[in-house]
Amino acid sequence: MAAGEVIVIPCLSDNYTYLVRCHRSEVTAIIDPGEAAPVIAALEERDWTLDLVINTHHHHDHIGGNAELMEKYGAKLLGPVAESARIPNMDETCAEGDQVLIGDLEGRVFDVPGHTTGHIAFYFPAITALFSGDSLFALGCGRLFEGTPEQMWQSLQKFRNLPGSTQVYCGHEYTQSNARFAKTIEPNNTILTARCQDIDGLRARNLPTIPSRLDVELATNPFLRADEPSVAKALGMSGESPVAIFTEIRKRKDNF
């Protein structure tokens, strides 16, 4: 039997929140609950309770359900130490180098500033799952509301050495729009072209495009490919630094 499972729960207009269940201990966590009602419905459907609420960053569409879920289930709240002043009532904080536990499932913490200055992400090897919040998206990355392009580029590098089979669970269903943009950067990327067709098919049936595989992201996501010579050439920026190329890609996406 698998060590645990992840349940994808749509919430708000385009957010995802994730139930993570350790099978042996039956400990259950919710990651980035933008609202409580869909989480409660998913728990009641399975006759589960909730032990832990985990946040990647302070934006309301990722923490809006915290208070109601904590009150209803007595769940503890864990989040980034760097955002302690902006996420109310945290019971425990963490930062890069720390481990978090969902029962027997051990999660590694990454500091990934860029979208916000204190943003963190979590990788759970036993379930090959990366919870990236609004740092890495399927075929995209988060807007730089608080950080710099250099910070975000360095943050994304931290994911590149994870196993290619890693399932990326990000914060939003932005994939179809991200795919259209990615094609403007690498129109001749055949893996990207095939992926775009798959994404269009999923969205036509109103199905999630999440999770995505990390090896597919590395082959198709322009924000992870700013150090690829083919991307630099496509942008007319051969010889420029990866940070400069990443900055240009982010600028173009902001105006797309």
mmCIF file of all heavy atoms in Angstrom, residues 18-38:
data_model
loop_
_atom_site.group_PDB
_atom_site.id
_atom_site.type_symbol
_atom_site.label_atom_id
_atom_site.label_comp_id
_atom_site.label_asym_id
_atom_site.label_seq_id
_atom_site.Cartn_x
_atom_site.Cartn_y
_atom_site.Cartn_z
ATOM 1 N N TYR A 18 -5.098 21.042 -1.022
ATOM 2 C CA TYR A 18 -4.732 19.623 -1.089
ATOM 3 C C TYR A 18 -4.838 18.947 0.271
ATOM 4 O O TYR A 18 -4.193 19.374 1.237
ATOM 5 C CB TYR A 18 -3.300 19.483 -1.623
ATOM 6 C CG TYR A 18 -3.125 20.094 -2.985
ATOM 7 C CD1 TYR A 18 -2.459 21.305 -3.153
ATOM 8 C CD2 TYR A 18 -3.667 19.479 -4.111
ATOM 9 C CE1 TYR A 18 -2.314 21.879 -4.405
ATOM 10 C CE2 TYR A 18 -3.526 20.047 -5.369
ATOM 11 C CZ TYR A 18 -2.855 21.250 -5.511
ATOM 12 O OH TYR A 18 -2.724 21.814 -6.754
ATOM 13 N N LEU A 19 -5.657 17.894 0.334
ATOM 14 C CA LEU A 19 -5.674 17.019 1.496
ATOM 15 C C LEU A 19 -4.551 15.996 1.352
ATOM 16 O O LEU A 19 -4.436 15.351 0.302
ATOM 17 C CB LEU A 19 -7.001 16.263 1.590
ATOM 18 C CG LEU A 19 -8.174 16.904 2.329
ATOM 19 C CD1 LEU A 19 -9.374 15.967 2.276
ATOM 20 C CD2 LEU A 19 -7.813 17.234 3.770
ATOM 21 N N VAL A 20 -3.749 15.868 2.377
ATOM 22 C CA VAL A 20 -2.661 14.882 2.390
ATOM 23 C C VAL A 20 -2.914 13.936 3.561
ATOM 24 O O VAL A 20 -3.046 14.374 4.709
ATOM 25 C CB VAL A 20 -1.289 15.554 2.531
ATOM 26 C CG1 VAL A 20 -0.182 14.509 2.459
ATOM 27 C CG2 VAL A 20 -1.097 16.612 1.435
ATOM 28 N N ARG A 21 -2.961 12.662 3.273
ATOM 29 C CA ARG A 21 -3.317 11.644 4.275
ATOM 30 C C ARG A 21 -2.199 10.628 4.400
ATOM 31 O O ARG A 21 -1.757 10.043 3.399
ATOM 32 C CB ARG A 21 -4.597 10.937 3.809
ATOM 33 C CG ARG A 21 -5.029 9.735 4.644
ATOM 34 C CD ARG A 21 -5.886 10.126 5.783
ATOM 35 N NE ARG A 21 -6.705 9.013 6.267
ATOM 36 C CZ ARG A 21 -7.504 9.081 7.312
ATOM 37 N NH1 ARG A 21 -7.630 10.212 7.975
ATOM 38 N NH2 ARG A 21 -8.211 8.038 7.692
ATOM 39 N N CYS A 22 -1.698 10.429 5.618
ATOM 40 C CA CYS A 22 -0.758 9.355 5.911
ATOM 41 C C CYS A 22 -1.571 8.106 6.219
ATOM 42 O O CYS A 22 -2.371 8.100 7.154
ATOM 43 C CB CYS A 22 0.122 9.726 7.092
ATOM 44 S SG CYS A 22 1.163 8.378 7.686
ATOM 45 N N HIS A 23 -1.389 7.048 5.438
ATOM 46 C CA HIS A 23 -2.241 5.874 5.588
ATOM 47 C C HIS A 23 -2.027 5.151 6.915
ATOM 48 O O HIS A 23 -2.996 4.753 7.562
ATOM 49 C CB HIS A 23 -2.021 4.910 4.422
ATOM 50 C CG HIS A 23 -2.653 5.362 3.146
ATOM 51 N ND1 HIS A 23 -3.921 5.894 3.089
ATOM 52 C CD2 HIS A 23 -2.201 5.376 1.864
ATOM 53 C CE1 HIS A 23 -4.223 6.199 1.842
ATOM 54 N NE2 HIS A 23 -3.193 5.909 1.076
ATOM 55 N N ARG A 24 -0.776 4.996 7.325
ATOM 56 C CA ARG A 24 -0.546 4.198 8.530
ATOM 57 C C ARG A 24 -1.093 4.891 9.779
ATOM 58 O O ARG A 24 -1.785 4.290 10.595
ATOM 59 C CB ARG A 24 0.945 3.904 8.717
ATOM 60 C CG ARG A 24 1.216 2.820 9.779
ATOM 61 C CD ARG A 24 2.637 2.832 10.278
ATOM 62 N NE ARG A 24 2.941 4.031 11.038
ATOM 63 C CZ ARG A 24 2.588 4.219 12.316
ATOM 64 N NH1 ARG A 24 1.903 3.294 12.966
ATOM 65 N NH2 ARG A 24 2.922 5.338 12.941
ATOM 66 N N SER A 25 -0.799 6.178 9.918
ATOM 67 C CA SER A 25 -1.194 6.910 11.124
ATOM 68 C C SER A 25 -2.595 7.510 11.025
ATOM 69 O O SER A 25 -3.178 7.890 12.040
ATOM 70 C CB SER A 25 -0.202 8.035 11.396
ATOM 71 O OG SER A 25 -0.280 9.016 10.374
ATOM 72 N N GLU A 26 -3.092 7.640 9.788
ATOM 73 C CA GLU A 26 -4.374 8.298 9.506
ATOM 74 C C GLU A 26 -4.355 9.790 9.848
ATOM 75 O O GLU A 26 -5.400 10.424 9.966
ATOM 76 C CB GLU A 26 -5.545 7.588 10.192
ATOM 77 C CG GLU A 26 -5.712 6.148 9.731
ATOM 78 C CD GLU A 26 -6.951 5.464 10.286
ATOM 79 O OE1 GLU A 26 -7.559 5.995 11.239
ATOM 80 O OE2 GLU A 26 -7.307 4.396 9.756
ATOM 81 N N VAL A 27 -3.156 10.345 10.009
ATOM 82 C CA VAL A 27 -3.038 11.793 10.188
ATOM 83 C C VAL A 27 -3.320 12.469 8.845
ATOM 84 O O VAL A 27 -2.849 12.020 7.794
ATOM 85 C CB VAL A 27 -1.638 12.162 10.713
ATOM 86 C CG1 VAL A 27 -1.417 13.669 10.671
ATOM 87 C CG2 VAL A 27 -1.457 11.634 12.129
ATOM 88 N N THR A 28 -4.093 13.552 8.901
ATOM 89 C CA THR A 28 -4.523 14.241 7.687
ATOM 90 C C THR A 28 -4.232 15.734 7.801
ATOM 91 O O THR A 28 -4.483 16.347 8.839
ATOM 92 C CB THR A 28 -6.033 14.033 7.455
ATOM 93 O OG1 THR A 28 -6.311 12.625 7.423
ATOM 94 C CG2 THR A 28 -6.478 14.645 6.140
ATOM 95 N N ALA A 29 -3.699 16.298 6.721
ATOM 96 C CA ALA A 29 -3.393 17.730 6.665
ATOM 97 C C ALA A 29 -4.069 18.341 5.453
ATOM 98 O O ALA A 29 -4.351 17.654 4.465
ATOM 99 C CB ALA A 29 -1.883 17.954 6.593
ATOM 100 N N ILE A 30 -4.296 19.637 5.513
ATOM 101 C CA ILE A 30 -4.766 20.394 4.353
ATOM 102 C C ILE A 30 -3.733 21.477 4.066
ATOM 103 O O ILE A 30 -3.221 22.133 4.973
ATOM 104 C CB ILE A 30 -6.161 21.023 4.592
ATOM 105 C CG1 ILE A 30 -6.723 21.602 3.299
ATOM 106 C CG2 ILE A 30 -6.148 22.060 5.701
ATOM 107 C CD1 ILE A 30 -7.169 20.587 2.293
ATOM 108 N N ILE A 31 -3.391 21.624 2.795
ATOM 109 C CA ILE A 31 -2.382 22.599 2.380
ATOM 110 C C ILE A 31 -3.052 23.741 1.620
ATOM 111 O O ILE A 31 -3.753 23.518 0.636
ATOM 112 C CB ILE A 31 -1.298 21.935 1.517
ATOM 113 C CG1 ILE A 31 -0.563 20.868 2.346
ATOM 114 C CG2 ILE A 31 -0.317 22.978 0.973
ATOM 115 C CD1 ILE A 31 0.502 20.113 1.595
ATOM 116 N N ASP A 32 -2.872 24.952 2.137
ATOM 117 C CA ASP A 32 -3.357 26.188 1.511
ATOM 118 C C ASP A 32 -4.871 26.204 1.283
ATOM 119 O O ASP A 32 -5.337 26.368 0.143
ATOM 120 C CB ASP A 32 -2.619 26.439 0.195
ATOM 121 C CG ASP A 32 -1.211 26.974 0.403
ATOM 122 O OD1 ASP A 32 -0.866 27.317 1.554
ATOM 123 O OD2 ASP A 32 -0.459 27.058 -0.582
ATOM 124 N N PRO A 33 -5.664 26.080 2.354
ATOM 125 C CA PRO A 33 -7.121 26.119 2.190
ATOM 126 C C PRO A 33 -7.631 27.540 1.979
ATOM 127 O O PRO A 33 -7.752 28.324 2.918
ATOM 128 C CB PRO A 33 -7.636 25.541 3.514
ATOM 129 C CG PRO A 33 -6.587 25.915 4.524
ATOM 130 C CD PRO A 33 -5.276 25.864 3.773
ATOM 131 N N GLY A 34 -7.937 27.886 0.748
ATOM 132 C CA GLY A 34 -8.456 29.216 0.456
ATOM 133 C C GLY A 34 -9.833 29.448 1.039
ATOM 134 O O GLY A 34 -10.218 30.584 1.322
ATOM 135 N N GLU A 35 -10.587 28.378 1.209
ATOM 136 C CA GLU A 35 -11.890 28.432 1.871
ATOM 137 C C GLU A 35 -12.124 27.088 2.544
ATOM 138 O O GLU A 35 -11.525 26.073 2.188
ATOM 139 C CB GLU A 35 -13.006 28.756 0.879
ATOM 140 C CG GLU A 35 -13.131 27.788 -0.276
ATOM 141 C CD GLU A 35 -14.269 28.144 -1.226
ATOM 142 O OE1 GLU A 35 -15.229 28.808 -0.789
ATOM 143 O OE2 GLU A 35 -14.192 27.743 -2.402
ATOM 144 N N ALA A 36 -13.020 27.084 3.528
ATOM 145 C CA ALA A 36 -13.201 25.890 4.351
ATOM 146 C C ALA A 36 -14.210 24.909 3.786
ATOM 147 O O ALA A 36 -14.041 23.689 3.922
ATOM 148 C CB ALA A 36 -13.623 26.299 5.764
ATOM 149 N N ALA A 37 -15.295 25.399 3.158
ATOM 150 C CA ALA A 37 -16.424 24.531 2.809
ATOM 151 C C ALA A 37 -16.035 23.328 1.946
ATOM 152 O O ALA A 37 -16.445 22.199 2.251
ATOM 153 C CB ALA A 37 -17.532 25.344 2.146
ATOM 154 N N PRO A 38 -15.265 23.492 0.869
ATOM 155 C CA PRO A 38 -14.909 22.322 0.060
ATOM 156 C C PRO A 38 -14.055 21.312 0.818
ATOM 157 O O PRO A 38 -14.124 20.110 0.562
ATOM 158 C CB PRO A 38 -14.141 22.916 -1.122
ATOM 159 C CG PRO A 38 -14.449 24.358 -1.137
ATOM 160 C CD PRO A 38 -14.728 24.737 0.281
#
